[in-house]
């Protein structure tokens, strides 16, 4: 259970600012013997994970994520993270809940807090105060689903980011969920009475029109959280948006007049890339007749109006069958591209194939559009024309990057928060928008483009906005300095990745000689992937020789 405590005057005797100290994250295994993190099912090493059982592989992935955060964040107080596996079911949108996490408690008015009467997740409150506020208690509670992992096939437990199609990267999801526990957590409109203390996260929520969450009344907050127009106004994230995110593109509809406009869309992981050329031309609704001669528009059986569809863009309703099957039938009928209209009023998300064999046959592009746009298009089929894909004419309508101004009136870009028309408890507000390009680690749905072992995108910047001290200096290995930055603006974490892998080498090596071999292979792999510069690799090597390697192995084994 989460709790809020007002801790005025706590540790006032200490007086001084806490000493900067790399955070120590502690895994608190909550699973019963033989289950979850303790599952004894035999497993073959995969993707750099040497675990010999399912449970051991899960623990190694979890510890990997904790070590990354430990290198990245500074805190003199250890962060204790509970972890377990359970059946988590589905969310309100009907999707599997992969994981869930949050703080075990929250505090305000503690010693050394940056802002008075402001609520902080306990791990951050401890870091800011420099001492354990919640004495004897854990700080973050997390759970991960067993629903997709029947026979150990749903989760990918590799540490290399090379997730096979059809599996979900466990490291990405663990890293995401711990992020919520560390402070990537907002209060929705019903969570806190207007005028009561605000969570630090909510201090940086703003509408695209410039109205701050703290200035809204309850009716405005209720409307804003389902408006699809909330942005993050924190200065560090805003400064790093141009380093990480590409400008969002719109699907243009150019005729008839009633349908003209710029519209957000989601892409597919099958077929060719969505191009402006492919989505320029006439739109025709794809149809087929069933045995009773009833006309259907869901594209789940071979299309029967192929003569009208040939050489044109197919408009198809979502539902009944998977995305790739719809696209293949449209392609076989002669369509050059497909627009799928959502059948529910929630935010868009990238489309997965659903059937690899079907997806392999697809050569045309597919995009998903909102239910509202789909209804508008179907109401204006006569003379319906798509005008290609390109920048939004009005950036205030952009799906991810929104025009705004700072206090001095200078134009800025803000990244959107997840605020879909259909409110989703646990997801709404507490994520970046699903359609960031590339997909953000803290988007509400897992994505194959996330590579958490190497790139945390805007997550460290948001942590800085809410008060965490993020390590952007060079990696230090037991007082041996390297030239590898722990992290850098834009979210790359080469030093945090190095520290994590070196510790993994130590923990899984039988001898110091094995440790040296393991670290050598790691450095070479980073060089080949061009993730380390030659000088950085050489500085790492110099810290991994002789007595230095002996000391590291002894400390981390």
């Amino acid at each position: 259970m989460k709790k809020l405590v007002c801790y005025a005057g706590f540790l006032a005797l200490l007086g001084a600012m806490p000493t900067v100290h790399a955070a120590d994250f502690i895994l608190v295994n909550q699973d019963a013997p033989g289950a979850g993190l303790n599952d004894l099912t035999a497993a073959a090493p995969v993707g750099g994970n040497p675990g010999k059982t399912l449970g051991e592989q899960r623990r190694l992935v979890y510890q990997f994520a904790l070590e990354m955060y430990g290198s990245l964040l500074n805190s003199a107080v250890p962060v204790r993270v509970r972890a377990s596996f359970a059946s988590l079911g589905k969310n309100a949108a009907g999707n599997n809940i992969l994981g869930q996490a949050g703080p075990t408690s929250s505090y305000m008015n503690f010693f050394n807090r940056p802002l008075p009467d402001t609520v902080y997740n306990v791990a951050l409150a401890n870091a800011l105060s420099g001492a354990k506020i919640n004495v004897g208690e854990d700080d973050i509670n997390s759970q991960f689903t067993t629903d997709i992992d029947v026979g150990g096939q749903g989760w990918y437990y590799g540490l290399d980011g090379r997730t096979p199609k059809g599996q979900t990267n466990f490291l990405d999801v663990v890293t995401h969920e711990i992020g919520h526990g560390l402070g990537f957590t907002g209060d929705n409109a019903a969570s806190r009475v207007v005028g009561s203390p605000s969570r630090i996260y909510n201090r940086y929520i703003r509408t695209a029109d410039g109205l701050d969450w703290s200035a809204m009344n309850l009716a405005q907050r209720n409307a804003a959280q389902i408006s699809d127009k909330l942005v993050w106004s924190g200065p560090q994230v805003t400064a790093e948006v141009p380093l990480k995110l590409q400008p969002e593109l719109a699907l243009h509809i150019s005729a008839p007049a009633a349908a003209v406009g710029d519209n957000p869309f989601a892409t597919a992981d099958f077929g060719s890339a969505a191009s402006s050329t492919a989505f320029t031309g006439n739109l025709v609704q794809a149809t087929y007749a069933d045995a009773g001669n009833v006309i259907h528009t869901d594209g789940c059986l071979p299309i029967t109006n192929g003569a009208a569809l040939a050489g044109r863009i197919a408009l198809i309703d979502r539902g009944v069958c998977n995305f790739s099957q719809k696209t293949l039938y449209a392609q076989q009928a002669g369509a050059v591209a497909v627009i799928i209209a959502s059948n529910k009023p929630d935010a868009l998300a990238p489309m997965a194939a659903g059937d690899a064999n079907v997806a392999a046959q697809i050569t045309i592009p597919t995009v998903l559009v909102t239910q509202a746009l789909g209804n508008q298009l179907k109401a204006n089929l006569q003379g319906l024309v798509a005008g290609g894909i390109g920048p939004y004419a009005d950036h205030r309508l952009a799906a991810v990057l929104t025009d705004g101004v700072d206090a001095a009136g200078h134009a800025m870009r803000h990244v959107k928060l997840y605020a879909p028309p259909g409110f989703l408890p646990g997801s709404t507000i507490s994520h970046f928008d699903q359609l960031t390009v590339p997909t953000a680690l803290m988007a509400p749905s897992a994505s194959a483009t996330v590579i958490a072992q190497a790139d945390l995108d805007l997550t460290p910047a948001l942590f800085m906005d809410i008060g965490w001290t993020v390590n952007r200096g060079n990696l230090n290995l037991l007082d041996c300095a390297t030239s590898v930055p722990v992290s850098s603006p834009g979210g790359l974490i080469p030093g945090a990745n190095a520290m994590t892998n070196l510790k993994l080498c130590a923990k899984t090596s039988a001898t110091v000689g094995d440790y040296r071999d393991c670290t050598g292979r790691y450095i070479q792999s980073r060089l080949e992937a061009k993730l380390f510069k030659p000088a950085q690799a050489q500085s790492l090597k110099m810290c991994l020789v002789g007595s230095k390697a002996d000391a590291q192995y002894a400390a981390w084994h």
Side-chain angles (χ1 to χ4, degrees):
M1 182 176 70
K2 299 177 184 178
K3 59 185 178 182
L4 170 63
V5 180
C6 181
Y7 226 85
F10 180 79
L11 294 181
L13 294 176
L14 293 183
M17 178 73 96
T19 302
V20 172
H21 186 284
D24 183 17
F25 280 71
I26 300 170
L27 174 62
V28 183
N29 187 341
Q30 300 284 292
D31 281 328
L37 292 165
N38 305 312
D39 194 315
L40 297 176
T41 303
V46 57
N49 186 331
K52 297 179 177 60
T53 67
L54 201 54
E56 184 183 14
Q57 289 190 351
R58 289 168 172 169
R59 294 194 304 273
L60 285 172
V61 173
Y62 211 107
Q63 195 62 49
F64 194 98
L66 296 183
E67 294 286 1
M68 286 197 303
Y69 275 126
S71 297
L72 180 72
L73 302 176
N74 292 316
S75 176
V77 183
V79 181
R80 295 178 57 84
V81 183
R82 296 178 192 157
S84 63
F85 273 75
S87 176
L88 301 182
K90 298 181 183 295
N91 63 14
N95 301 316
N96 282 315
I97 299 173
L98 299 176
Q100 55 191 23
T104 56
S105 55
S106 299
Y107 293 84
M108 64 180 186
N109 292 332
F110 47 87
F111 169 73
N112 206 45
R113 78 280 185 192
L115 295 173
D117 301 328
T118 301
V119 180
Y120 293 80
N121 288 19
V122 63
L124 177 53
N126 285 338
L128 291 168
S129 69
K132 183 81 167 172
I133 297 174
N134 57 331
V135 177
E137 297 182 5
D138 300 322
D139 307 306
I140 296 172
N141 189 52
S142 64
Q143 285 185 308
F144 299 90
T145 187
T146 55
D147 299 332
I148 69 167
D149 211 19
V150 177
Q153 298 302 309
W155 288 114
Y156 177 64
Y157 296 112
L159 302 171
D160 57 359
R162 298 177 179 177
T163 311
K165 281 199 172 186
Q167 290 188 291
T168 302
N169 190 293
F170 187 53
L171 176 62
D172 291 347
V173 177
V174 172
T175 306
H176 172 110
E177 294 302 335
I178 296 172
H180 286 310
L182 291 170
F184 208 117
T185 310
D187 290 326
N188 61 51
S191 297
R192 201 169 297 281
V193 177
V194 174
S196 66
S198 176
R199 190 171 292 277
I200 183 62
Y201 182 97
N202 288 68
R203 295 263 180 161
Y204 295 106
I205 297 177
R206 179 185 297 173
T207 67
D209 296 324
L211 181 62
D212 290 329
W213 185 267
S214 59
M216 298 180 201
N217 58 37
L218 183 58
Q220 289 172 318
R221 290 183 182 178
N222 277 320
Q225 70 185 9
I226 57 171
S227 68
D228 201 28
K229 291 292 184 291
L230 286 182
V231 300
W232 181 263
S233 65
Q236 194 64 41
V237 169
T238 301
E240 294 187 27
V241 160
L243 302 176
K244 181 54 58 177
L245 300 183
Q246 300 172 23
E248 183 65 20
L249 299 178
L251 173 66
H252 304 307
I253 301 299
S254 54
V260 168
D262 290 348
N263 306 277
F265 64 90
T267 56
D269 69 359
F270 54 87
S272 57
S275 67
S276 188
T277 300
F279 285 94
T280 299
N282 296 98
L283 272 72
V284 174
Q285 187 156 44
T287 62
Y288 66 87
D290 63 17
N293 209 33
V294 176
I295 302 298
H296 295 268
T297 57
D298 56 43
C300 290
L301 286 175
I303 306 301
T304 56
N305 66 331
L309 195 58
R312 294 178 171 83
I313 303 165
L315 176 62
I316 300 175
D317 285 330
R318 182 179 182 178
V320 184
C321 62
N322 62 55
F323 296 118
S324 56
Q325 186 62 70
K326 297 172 186 287
T327 300
L328 181 59
Y329 282 140
Q331 177 179 298
Q332 291 170 342
V336 296
V338 173
I339 296 175
I340 297 178
S342 185
N343 59 353
K344 46 190 174 183
D346 55 3
L348 301 175
M351 294 175 285
D355 187 321
N357 293 327
V358 170
Q361 303 174 59
I362 297 173
T363 59
I364 64 174
T366 302
V367 298
L368 176 69
V369 301
T370 64
Q371 184 183 47
L373 176 60
N375 290 340
Q376 185 180 40
L377 298 179
K378 286 179 283 186
N380 294 277
L381 289 171
Q382 187 67 35
L384 188 59
V385 179
I389 292 173
Y392 277 82
D394 182 348
H395 283 294
R396 290 171 300 176
L397 302 175
V400 176
L401 303 183
T402 305
D403 277 338
V405 295
D406 61 19
H410 299 135
M412 299 187 301
R413 298 279 194 191
H414 295 301
V415 59
K416 268 181 62 175
L417 295 175
Y418 187 63
F423 178 78
L424 293 174
S427 292
T428 291
I429 290 180
S430 296
H431 291 92
F432 286 135
D433 191 84
Q434 182 65 54
L435 296 183
T436 56
V437 180
T439 305
L441 168 68
M442 297 306 295
S445 299
S447 168
T449 62
V450 171
I451 47 172
Q453 77 278 6
D455 188 351
L456 300 182
D457 53 77
L458 296 174
T459 306
L462 186 139
F463 286 156
M464 294 171 75
D465 280 338
I466 65 175
W468 280 101
T469 301
V470 171
N471 187 352
R472 286 196 164 158
N474 288 339
L475 177 63
N476 194 305
L477 299 176
L478 299 185
D479 296 326
C480 184
T482 77
S483 62
V484 181
V486 173
S487 68
S488 57
L492 292 176
I493 53 167
N497 178 272
M499 176 65 88
T500 302
N501 276 281
L502 297 182
K503 286 187 174 181
L504 178 65
C505 280
K507 290 172 182 175
T508 57
S509 295
T511 68
V512 69
D514 293 338
Y515 171 65
R516 291 194 183 98
D517 290 342
C518 181
T519 57
R521 290 192 298 272
Y522 165 72
I523 294 173
Q524 186 59 36
S525 71
R526 299 296 90 181
L527 264 175
E528 291 173 358
K530 297 183 179 180
L531 296 176
F532 285 161
K533 297 176 181 177
Q536 292 173 336
Q538 185 60 32
S539 72
L540 267 177
K541 289 178 181 179
M542 294 301 294
C543 286
L544 293 167
V545 296
S547 61
K548 297 174 184 177
D550 294 343
Q552 293 158 19
Y553 180 73
W556 299 333
H557 181 60

